[in-house]
Amino acid sequence: MHVMKFIGRGTHKVILTLFVISFLWACTKENPVGDGTDNTDGSITPNTDFLYGNTARAIFVNRANFVWNNMSRTKYAHNADKVIDDINGVYKFDCSGFIGQIVLDKVLSNHYEDLEAHMGRVINPDGTYMSLSRPLVASFYDYFEDVLGDNNVAENNYWKVFRVVDSLKKGDFIIARYADEWRQDNNNSNTGHMMLAWEIGTIENGEIELQVMDATSMPHTTTADTRTMNAYPVAELYNGEKSGVGFGRMRFLVNTTTRQVYGYRWSLNSKYCYNLVEGDGYSETNASYNRLEGILFARPI
């Protein structure tokens, strides 16, 4: 805008008008699935076009866009080691912290406070209750499951919650909760994984491919993940793996009758599928993958 003081008034008005028109056009188009770019150097450019409007969903997606475009360094970290630094573009957190505190709480604080008010109680593998300072994956899932009840879709003042994959939109929460009995049997304190749907494919042979945005300790498909394919932003190592906030591709298993998701493959090449402990008619020969209580979706409204 500073250069305009050197331009004549009439030209100034024309340029300003064209700028406003081009800005509004860019913001109003919500690009179709799959127009993120795989560059010739092997890096990946996710589609981070901003969404037009002031809906809660648009505000949330645009904050996620900002985090990605602003980010210089990232790493998977738990609460004690978290970093949320918008000035220097450093973001270090786990999956629930990324969605809850790095994105949601910064722009939709009432939604985040609603989650805090419904954290519930989450058990440790030894049967005692965790001391929660923030919502974990199980907190998100248990609250949203209460909102749903026996329905496939439900709403309250803050959230639309649903089970059917056909309703999935860019920026929706995907929440996969580990079953407490599995966690106790395997002495695993992790309550699950959650991510944001980004590019959404079509269902083929009972599976749907998604590009997701999340914070992980381990990339998804190596050749289709920003943490492994992009030199910048820098994804720091966690237990020897490039980690932190980024985009990756994975597959979800879909019941073609109910249209509900009952499992996922961490990468497009995964032999095994993380699936439900019971109720899906599917069981892995590797029992450690039969671990999920359920998968559901949610959207801020």
Side-chain angles (χ1 to χ4, degrees):
M1 298 296 289
H2 298 291
V3 299
M4 290 188 177
K5 64 184 179 181
F6 299 109
I7 301 173
R9 291 182 180 179
T11 306
H12 179 175
K13 290 179 180 179
V14 171
I15 291 175
L16 181 60
T17 301
L18 290 173
F19 172 79
V20 171
I21 291 172
S22 64
F23 175 79
L24 291 176
W25 177 83
C27 288
T28 53
K29 68 185 184 74
E30 185 175 338
N31 286 342
V33 169
D35 67 351
T37 303
D38 294 336
N39 302 310
T40 55
D41 64 355
S43 63
I44 297 165
T45 304
N47 173 10
T48 54
D49 285 352
F50 275 52
L51 300 189
Y52 177 76
N54 61 353
T55 65
R57 172 178 169 254
I59 292 168
F60 178 83
V61 169
N62 289 339
R63 168 64 184 177
N65 286 331
F66 168 82
V67 168
W68 172 253
N69 291 316
N70 185 55
M71 188 160 58
S72 62
R73 303 188 72 85
T74 187
K75 183 180 181 180
Y76 184 83
H78 292 300
N79 196 58
D81 299 312
K82 71 180 180 184
V83 178
I84 306 174
D85 184 351
D86 282 344
I87 294 176
N88 296 299
V90 181
Y91 302 100
K92 301 182 180 184
F93 221 150
D94 55 26
C95 63
S96 55
F98 161 61
I99 293 175
Q101 293 190 7
I102 292 178
V103 184
L104 186 70
D105 189 33
K106 294 296 184 180
V107 290
L108 296 172
S109 58
N110 288 341
H111 288 70
Y112 186 73
E113 289 170 4
D114 180 62
L115 287 170
E116 287 186 310
H118 294 90
M119 281 195 298
R121 306 188 78 183
V122 180
I123 66 168
N124 287 302
D126 64 3
T128 61
Y129 285 105
M130 290 185 180
S131 177
L132 298 180
S133 60
R134 63 182 178 91
L136 303 179
V137 174
S139 307
F140 282 80
Y141 184 93
D142 293 350
Y143 172 38
F144 291 150
E145 190 175 48
D146 286 343
V147 172
L148 267 178
D150 295 328
N151 304 305
N152 282 330
V153 60
E155 294 183 6
N156 63 15
N157 291 334
Y158 295 100
W159 307 99
K160 177 177 181 178
V161 188
F162 54 100
R163 299 187 190 277
V164 177
V165 72
D166 305 82
S167 300
L168 204 58
K169 292 183 178 181
K170 181 177 183 176
D172 287 347
F173 299 5
I174 305 172
I175 307 157
R177 192 201 198 284
Y178 294 164
D180 287 336
E181 59 267 34
W182 178 88
R183 294 174 55 240
Q184 289 178 314
D185 290 345
N186 292 272
N187 193 31
N188 192 318
S189 60
N190 192 339
T191 65
H193 186 61
M194 61 188 300
M195 55 220 105
L196 303 179
W198 212 255
E199 291 181 2
I200 303 163
T202 57
I203 298 173
E204 297 180 1
N205 300 318
E207 297 191 13
I208 185 170
E209 180 180 326
L210 301 180
Q211 183 188 67
V212 300
M213 184 183 192
D214 59 1
T216 79
S217 60
M218 177 179 176
H220 296 286
T221 308
T222 303
T223 56
D225 195 296
T226 59
R227 284 155 286 228
T228 50
M229 298 302 293
N230 291 25
Y232 190 87
V234 176
E236 297 180 6
L237 296 180
Y238 180 91
N239 292 336
E241 297 277 359
K242 290 188 175 181
S243 71
V245 176
F247 294 87
R249 291 193 174 273
M250 53 194 299
R251 286 199 175 100
F252 291 80
L253 275 63
V254 181
N255 182 313
T256 53
T257 300
T258 66
R259 315 298 284 182
Q260 296 179 16
V261 169
Y262 64 90
Y264 61 87
R265 303 185 190 279
W266 188 255
S267 81
L268 302 181
N269 307 314
S270 294
K271 177 182 177 182
Y272 295 108
C273 173
Y274 295 89
N275 68 102
L276 303 183
V277 168
E278 58 183 21
D280 59 12
Y282 182 97
S283 182
E284 282 286 4
T285 53
N286 186 334
S288 67
Y289 287 86
N290 300 317
R291 65 174 66 181
L292 301 181
E293 177 177 322
I295 299 176
L296 52 74
F297 313 118
R299 178 183 308 148
I301 57 175

